[in-house]
Amino acid sequence: MDRPTLFPSLTGLRSFEAAVRHGSMTKAAAELDVTQGAVSRAIRALQAELGFPLLAKTKPALELTPLGEAVFAELHYSFDRIKKLMERLKAEEDSRALRIDVLPTFGLRLLIPRLPSFKAQYPDMQIDVVVGEGPIDFSNDQVDVGIRYGKGDWARTKSYRILDEELIVVCAPSLLNEGEIDPTQLRSDQMIRHTTRLEAWGEWFESLHLPSRQASGLGFEHFFMVIEAAVVGIGYALLPRFLIREELAKGTLVIASPHTLRRQQGYFLMCSPERQADPRVLAFRRWLHLELQNEPF
């Protein structure tokens, strides 16, 4: 039968290497953030575990046995290699781009226009922006943070609410000939569908204490497509106000009804629980929070 491989206590090995390197158990204790007695006990336990002495004497100075010299030389070389590897990996990690997975229209309308401010504050931090709308699996997807719309209850995810949403009905000026629309007269085929928010129109009618109705007009997957469809006069669109400030200011879209819909859902910044204390994630989260805290809905 093969004998089990001898692998001594890592605490003992670290204590011995630090004590010999410093030539002092007191200095080794300071480096390891333990007491001098703890270092002395760890070395004694290591020697007992090995079955041979490493130190010939400890006073007035540490003196190694021949075996102790051999063990120290190998430990010092190995720990130094490990330290340099960790420093290199940390440097590579710190220099790696922060990868952000963001909703398409949110990225276009809110995130990208603000990125010059982020770069001014963090000129050395690289970022990569990708778009997506589906769930994020931080254990498999190659992203550091995500921005999604929902209730913030995603599994295995740390989420921070960054923005609420106010939905308003808008249309091209050519469709609004006689002032605001009468919701009871709005035809289903006039209502543009956002194909990932099919329930929104029904909630808007219910908030007016009217029977829920579903849109049957043309459907579009992304908000930027719904916005463009409304601008060219395809129909009425139910859109977040903060996404269409430019169109409202220019007059290419007009508000068709004064009634607004506030939903329980909101926009969340997400990351894995293991990365929430990452300095780059923290920097981006704090910056985005400050950028959006005064953003009207």
Side-chain angles (χ1 to χ4, degrees):
M1 179 182 291
D2 294 337
R3 297 179 61 185
T5 301
L6 176 65
F7 195 89
S9 161
L10 183 58
T11 299
L13 295 175
R14 291 183 64 209
S15 299
F16 172 69
E17 189 276 337
V20 176
R21 174 163 41 84
H22 287 293
S24 165
M25 291 196 185
T26 300
K27 292 180 179 178
E31 176 184 312
L32 300 174
D33 196 25
V34 296
T35 65
Q36 179 182 346
V39 171
S40 179
R41 288 190 297 273
I43 294 175
R44 287 200 303 270
L46 174 64
Q47 293 180 116
E49 191 176 359
L50 294 174
F52 53 80
L54 299 173
L55 298 174
K57 62 179 183 178
T58 59
K59 294 180 180 180
L62 299 181
E63 183 177 318
L64 296 172
T65 65
L67 287 176
E69 291 178 355
V71 171
F72 171 74
E74 193 65 34
L75 284 178
H76 183 65
Y77 173 76
S78 300
F79 284 157
D80 187 59
R81 290 276 309 270
I82 293 171
K83 178 184 176 183
K84 289 178 179 177
L85 172 63
M86 294 299 104
E87 290 173 346
R88 178 172 62 81
L89 292 177
K90 185 177 186 305
E92 290 176 357
E93 178 67 12
D94 290 343
S95 64
R96 185 177 63 84
L98 180 72
R99 194 168 174 85
I100 305 166
D101 187 327
V102 62
L103 296 165
T105 311
F106 190 101
L108 286 170
R109 296 292 175 106
L110 266 78
L111 180 60
I112 292 175
R114 289 172 163 82
L115 287 181
S117 165
F118 182 81
K119 290 301 294 179
Q121 293 183 46
Y122 302 98
D124 298 327
M125 189 185 301
Q126 295 297 316
I127 61 172
D128 289 342
V129 179
V130 298
V131 297
E133 288 192 308
I136 299 176
D137 182 355
F138 289 103
S139 63
N140 292 317
D141 298 340
Q142 298 300 308
V143 296
D144 299 298
V145 297
I147 297 176
R148 288 293 187 270
Y149 179 80
K151 296 181 179 180
D153 54 357
W154 298 278
R156 298 181 298 280
T157 298
K158 184 67 176 177
S159 57
Y160 305 88
R161 195 178 188 105
I162 55 175
L163 193 63
D164 292 326
E165 181 181 75
E166 181 182 77
L167 296 172
I168 57 175
V169 178
V170 296
C171 64
S174 60
L175 296 184
L176 208 63
N177 297 322
E178 300 178 1
E180 65 184 60
I181 60 171
D182 178 352
T184 63
Q185 300 301 311
L186 187 60
R187 301 195 317 270
S188 294
D189 64 342
Q190 294 176 304
M191 297 184 288
I192 299 172
R193 290 178 296 118
H194 188 308
T195 56
T196 65
R197 300 271 196 99
L198 293 175
E199 71 286 351
W201 272 111
E203 291 180 14
W204 185 78
F205 281 105
E206 288 175 350
S207 68
L208 284 164
H209 305 290
L210 295 172
S212 177
R213 294 169 56 193
Q214 297 301 318
S216 62
L218 297 184
F220 301 92
E221 182 180 7
H222 301 296
F223 268 133
F224 66 83
M225 302 169 74
V226 176
I227 293 169
E228 187 62 24
V231 167
V232 300
I234 287 177
Y236 297 90
L238 187 60
L239 290 166
R241 187 190 296 269
F242 67 82
L243 290 180
I244 52 172
R245 298 197 188 285
E246 183 177 343
E247 286 77 9
L248 292 175
K250 290 180 177 179
T252 54
L253 286 178
V254 293
I255 297 175
S257 169
H259 182 70
T260 61
L261 173 65
R262 293 282 300 277
R263 308 183 78 195
Q264 292 182 347
Q265 299 93 322
Y267 292 85
F268 289 81
L269 180 72
M270 312 154 56
C271 67
S272 70
E274 296 79 12
R275 299 299 294 273
Q276 60 182 313
D278 183 308
R280 297 172 307 144
V281 173
L282 277 174
F284 182 77
R285 178 168 68 86
R286 289 167 178 166
W287 168 80
L288 188 60
H289 172 74
L290 290 175
E291 285 287 321
L292 298 180
Q293 67 178 354
N294 295 319
E295 175 70 29
F297 305 143

